Amino acid sequence: MGFRHGTIVRNEGHGTIFYRMEVALPEPVQFVPGQFAMLSGWPGNDPLLPRPFAIYRAASAGGRHSVEFVYKVVGRGTALLSGLHGGDPVSVTLPLGRGFDLSGEGRTWWLVGGGVGFSTVFPAADSLGHRKGGFELFLGGRTRDQLPPKDWTPGGHTAGRLHLCTDDGTAGFHGTVVDAIRERMKGMGVSDLARVTILACGPRPMLKGLAELAAGAGVAMQASLENHMACGFGVCWGCVAAIRDGEATAYRRVCKEGPVFNAMEVVW
Amino acid sequence: MVRDMTPDLSVTLGGGLTIKNPVMTASGTFGYGLEFAPFYDISRLGCLIVKGLSREPVLGNPPQRIFETASGMLNAIGLQNIGVERFVRDVVPRLEDAGATFAANIYGKTPEDYEAVAERVSEVSSLAAIEVNASCPNVKEGGIAFGSSPDGIARLVERVRRKTGKPLWVKLSPNVTDVGSIAKAAEDAGADAVTLINTLIGMAVDHRTRRPVLANVTGGLSGPAIKPVALRMVWDVCRKVKIPVIGIGGIMNAEDALQFLLVGASAVQIGTANFSNPRAAVEVVEGIESFLREEKIASVADYRGTLRLS
Ligand SMILES: Cc1cc2nc3c(=O)[nH]c(=O)nc-3n(C[C@H](O)[C@H](O)[C@H](O)COP(=O)(O)OP(=O)(O)OC[C@H]3O[C@@H](n4cnc5c(N)ncnc54)[C@H](O)[C@@H]3O)c2cc1C
Ligand SMILES: Cc1cc2nc3c(=O)[nH]c(=O)nc-3n(C[C@H](O)[C@H](O)[C@H](O)COP(=O)(O)O)c2cc1C
Ligand code: FES
């Protein structure tokens, strides 16, 4: 983990809502899918705090190192980021938090990304793609414009792997990813379901719906949570989520003990 | 004057304590200190102050706990912490290994709580000082009752004073009408130094959902937004008490830190800046040193309190 000054290589809009930023860094980045960075790219004190973003990719070649982020403009910080250009300075603290647990042989992985949540699960797809069992990918958006660009989708070309879902039915399955997973579970036996692990990132209502579905079906699930953050590395205790601790409830830091939690332990 | 002299950054804080430079990190913004070891050598700090410690571990407030505001942030953490026992057992040995100078920030719901925590941390021989949080706005009874009147603070400080031989600092709330008289009461009751300011009580609401943003409804405002208020209060208190004053509030860089020293603070604490830039505190140490060098000022002590009023 470290605090680094980097330089923007590329920062471009894709489709209607997503931006992708590549940042050159002095050192290589090694990360576990699901880990994130605190990123800031503005001078002065307003905005004051860096913003958390999932590490989308990291690459090293010929002595050059870079890291990529995918983001959606939702407020002031992301709007400022979207206005930056190649050559502009940014600072990043990374890699942060606890990512997905991809251990476990012979499991069936279902990766679920709601909205910009795909930025967190695509790196997991990259890791799992090398394995025999492979994975299936469920991507949800309000409309077809809000799905990730096709050429970004890992393993998207393999038949049966990719399930696109839109709330308005303009592409793929007409309904939410939760509905799509419910469909996918139909006809599966108890032992098949017991082999499935869902890895999910997206809006909280989606995660909650999925967790309830998974719990009912005996399916394991890891959920990547979001919360407002100040530090991102466990010192301010501002980012906590309620997590079951035996009979009691504990407040665990999303940035440190998370962002990935066992969905069955989250107090939704 | 000697060329290339190395300025003397050390400061004396009363109660027999001298630290290597005037830069500390503020309680609640620096975890238990070790979290910053990946960013720099934490033994370079004058002193680090750990998250407020209580007798028993504390769960803290429900989320949402923080919210960014214009050049500042609101927090209502509710003093979540691991409790004094775990601090002494698990954290202290590692701070010692890291060569860090550290102080314990303590709080309680009752004077007895304060006494118990003070007694326990006083057993730690490597502990540089105790900072009594008489001012946290986010916990009901959490010190605020003691910190809001001269009598209240005097009673609390007298009791803690009897339980410890460590340098005793009293952290003051800005949410009072006359911070000077409260600082004076702390001094008279036996404090070795006063530290200020803690956060200013604030609030944020959502005009669409018609709900408060923080689960606790109100929170403590920190960051650059509070710096002018903090600077004025530190300046005021420096003229009212003879004990050292430790200035806190919105310090983001060496220039800000120097301004607090200029109005009379003996040392400073870096808080919210640690979130924006994890290296902020060590950069302040470097910045103060290079300023003194450039200006050919021999020591922090020579610069401190030299505000020109005419
Ligand atoms: C671990 C983690 C990984 C993330 N990864 C990505 C990513 O890869 N791509 C991406 O686009 N976004 C990601 N986010 C969300 C991103 O951090 C926020 O969208 C961003 O901080 C908003 O900043 P802003 O200044 O533009 O918005 P603000 O003006 O601060 O807020 C705009 C709106 O978004 C809400 N909001 C702001 N921050 C958060 C947050 N952290 N959690 C929930 N709601 C929030 C606010 O309440 C408000 O309604 C991630 C968040 C976390 C915690
Ligand atoms: C997230 C957060 C937690 C804090 N927790 C404590 C605490 O436990 N005890 C305490 O005395 N002060 C606490 N403070 C107050 C700071 O130590 C400091 O007095 C205040 O933030 C003003 O300084 P700043 O503007 O540099 O942050 C906290 C502040 C923040 C932002
Ligand atoms: S953001 Fe500070 S502890 Fe998680």
Side-chain angles (χ1 to χ4, degrees), chain B residues 92-237:
Chain B
V92 165
R94 297 171 64 202
L95 287 172
E96 288 171 350
D97 285 347
T101 304
F102 60 98
N105 178 286
I106 68 167
Y107 81 96
K109 284 195 177 134
T110 63
E112 292 73 26
D113 287 349
Y114 279 94
E115 287 177 333
V117 184
E119 255 180 320
R120 185 69 183 101
V121 293
S122 297
E123 293 165 17
V124 175
S125 58
S126 54
L127 187 84
I130 294 176
E131 182 180 64
V132 172
N133 178 4
S135 57
C136 182
N138 294 329
V139 176
K140 290 177 190 69
E141 313 148 84
I144 194 75
F146 310 113
S148 50
S149 74
D151 284 352
I153 205 101
R155 278 200 302 275
L156 180 65
V157 175
E158 274 164 17
R159 293 185 64 159
V160 177
R161 177 75 284 175
R162 279 198 289 271
K163 298 289 176 187
T164 183
K166 294 283 183 188
L168 183 62
W169 307 340
V170 178
K171 185 159 175 180
L172 304 177
S173 169
N175 306 303
V176 295
T177 36
D178 179 12
V179 71
S181 60
I182 294 175
K184 187 78 185 61
E187 175 179 38
D188 293 343
D192 295 305
V194 285
T195 65
L196 71 157
I197 61 175
N198 208 316
T199 53
L200 285 154
I201 299 180
M203 183 170 174
V205 297
D206 185 319
H207 67 281
R208 284 189 197 281
T209 62
R210 307 188 188 192
R211 289 180 182 282
V213 171
L214 300 177
N216 190 56
V217 184
T218 61
L221 183 65
S222 66
I226 71 169
K227 199 188 100 181
V229 176
L231 199 61
R232 191 282 291 176
M233 288 192 166
V234 168
W235 181 61
D236 248 9
V237 168

Side-chain angles (χ1 to χ4, degrees), chain A:
Chain A
M1 197 242 288
F3 175 70
R4 312 264 179 260
H5 295 286
T7 309
I8 294 181
V9 179
R10 244 174 329 176
N11 183 34
E12 292 159 357
H14 290 267
T16 45
I17 57 170
F18 300 119
Y19 283 79
R20 184 160 170 173
M21 177 188 284
E22 183 182 352
V23 177
L25 292 175
E27 285 167 47
V29 175
Q30 277 172 354
F31 74 105
V32 175
Q35 284 190 304
F36 68 100
M38 294 298 280
L39 171 69
S40 149
W42 40 79
N45 298 323
D46 193 19
L48 179 64
L49 303 167
R51 301 290 194 257
F53 296 98
I55 301 174
Y56 188 69
R57 270 170 72 167
S60 289
R64 290 169 180 276
H65 314 292
S66 69
V67 62
E68 283 183 68
F69 305 103
V70 166
Y71 62 96
K72 182 179 158 185
V73 174
V74 299
R76 197 128 169 274
T78 44
L80 286 169
L81 285 182
S82 71
L84 299 179
H85 301 282
D88 287 344
V90 295
S91 59
V92 289
T93 305
L94 81 182
L96 298 169
R98 205 173 58 168
F100 292 112
D101 176 3
L102 302 179
S103 64
E105 290 301 311
R107 299 211 58 83
T108 306
W109 303 94
W110 290 354
L111 277 51
V112 185
V116 75
F118 73 85
S119 64
T120 303
V121 297
F122 278 14
D126 277 339
S127 288
L128 292 170
H130 307 298
R131 296 201 201 164
K132 243 168 111 203
F135 58 87
E136 288 178 39
L137 197 52
F138 298 78
L139 300 175
R142 230 165 281 151
T143 69
R144 66 181 296 158
D145 297 342
Q146 306 199 358
L147 291 170
K150 257 203 193 106
D151 52 330
W152 293 6
T153 311
H157 45 277
T158 313
R161 269 212 177 164
L162 179 64
H163 310 265
L164 297 178
C165 317
T166 50
D167 295 353
D168 66 354
T170 44
F173 179 83
H174 187 166
T176 66
V177 288
V178 184
D179 299 331
I181 299 255
R182 193 178 290 112
E183 285 295 310
R184 178 68 183 78
M185 285 177 173
K186 276 191 184 150
M188 283 179 72
V190 176
S191 62
D192 284 340
L193 286 169
R195 265 199 296 280
V196 175
T197 299
I198 293 174
L199 308 178
C201 182
R204 201 171 166 102
M206 173 200 110
L207 294 176
K208 182 179 182 212
L210 262 184
E212 283 163 1
L213 183 60
V219 164
M221 175 173 160
Q222 301 174 29
S224 183
L225 302 188
E226 292 190 357
N227 201 348
H228 292 261
M229 291 185 175
C231 69
F233 51 92
V235 299
C236 75
W237 296 87
C239 64
V240 299
I243 305 293
R244 252 184 282 286
D245 180 16
E247 293 295 293
T249 295
Y251 292 128
R252 304 247 187 260
R253 294 163 295 184
V254 170
C255 73
K256 188 89 177 177
E257 287 84 31
V260 176
F261 290 95
N262 178 348
M264 304 307 146
E265 290 172 3
V266 176
V267 180
W268 299 102

Side-chain angles (χ1 to χ4, degrees), chain B:
Chain B
M1 188 160 286
V2 193
R3 277 245 184 122
D4 272 348
M5 55 153 197
T6 302
D8 179 5
L9 298 187
S10 70
V11 296
T12 300
L13 289 175
L17 180 67
T18 298
I19 56 175
K20 55 178 130 354
N21 65 59
V23 182
M24 309 183 182
T25 51
S27 179
T29 66
F30 210 66
Y32 298 100
L34 299 159
E35 296 90 331
F36 283 78
F39 302 116
Y40 58 89
D41 175 0
I42 55 175
S43 74
R44 292 179 64 193
L45 295 170
C47 187
L48 65 86
I49 292 106
V50 299
K51 175 70 188 166
L53 296 167
S54 51
R55 218 165 169 171
E56 303 293 335
V58 166
L59 182 62
N61 288 328
Q64 185 173 341
R65 291 180 171 183
I66 52 173
F67 183 67
E68 192 183 76
T69 59
S71 297
M73 64 176 278
L74 288 166
N75 88 80
I77 309 298
L79 293 161
Q80 179 165 3
N81 78 98
I82 58 175
V84 69
E85 276 313 321
R86 255 188 76 195
F87 171 71
V88 172
R89 196 184 64 222
D90 300 345
V91 180
V92 165
R94 297 171 64 202
L95 287 172
E96 288 171 350
D97 285 347
T101 304
F102 60 98
N105 178 286
I106 68 167
Y107 81 96
K109 284 195 177 134
T110 63
E112 292 73 26
D113 287 349
Y114 279 94
E115 287 177 333
V117 184
E119 255 180 320
R120 185 69 183 101
V121 293
S122 297
E123 293 165 17
V124 175
S125 58
S126 54
L127 187 84
I130 294 176
E131 182 180 64
V132 172
N133 178 4
S135 57
C136 182
N138 294 329
V139 176
K140 290 177 190 69
E141 313 148 84
I144 194 75
F146 310 113
S148 50
S149 74
D151 284 352
I153 205 101
R155 278 200 302 275
L156 180 65
V157 175
E158 274 164 17
R159 293 185 64 159
V160 177
R161 177 75 284 175
R162 279 198 289 271
K163 298 289 176 187
T164 183
K166 294 283 183 188
L168 183 62
W169 307 340
V170 178
K171 185 159 175 180
L172 304 177
S173 169
N175 306 303
V176 295
T177 36
D178 179 12
V179 71
S181 60
I182 294 175
K184 187 78 185 61
E187 175 179 38
D188 293 343
D192 295 305
V194 285
T195 65
L196 71 157
I197 61 175
N198 208 316
T199 53
L200 285 154
I201 299 180
M203 183 170 174
V205 297
D206 185 319
H207 67 281
R208 284 189 197 281
T209 62
R210 307 188 188 192
R211 289 180 182 282
V213 171
L214 300 177
N216 190 56
V217 184
T218 61
L221 183 65
S222 66
I226 71 169
K227 199 188 100 181
V229 176
L231 199 61
R232 191 282 291 176
M233 288 192 166
V234 168
W235 181 61
D236 248 9
V237 168
C238 284
R239 295 181 304 166
K240 299 248 164 59
V241 299
K242 294 188 190 66
I243 51 176
V245 175
I246 300 166
I248 325 169
I251 299 175
M252 299 302 281
N253 50 42
E255 289 75 18
D256 293 337
L258 285 160
Q259 290 160 16
F260 278 82
L261 299 176
L262 181 61
V263 303
S266 295
V268 295
Q269 291 181 9
I270 314 297
T272 301
N274 292 304
F275 308 153
S276 305
N277 170 5
R279 291 183 49 82
V282 77
E283 287 174 8
V284 172
V285 176
E286 290 163 1
I288 290 176
E289 174 162 359
S290 51
F291 172 81
L292 295 179
R293 201 187 286 271
E294 274 164 33
E295 298 289 316
K296 300 195 169 34
I297 301 167
S299 68
V300 167
D302 283 355
Y303 181 73
R304 187 179 79 78
T306 56
L307 184 69
R308 294 172 179 150
L309 285 169
S310 56

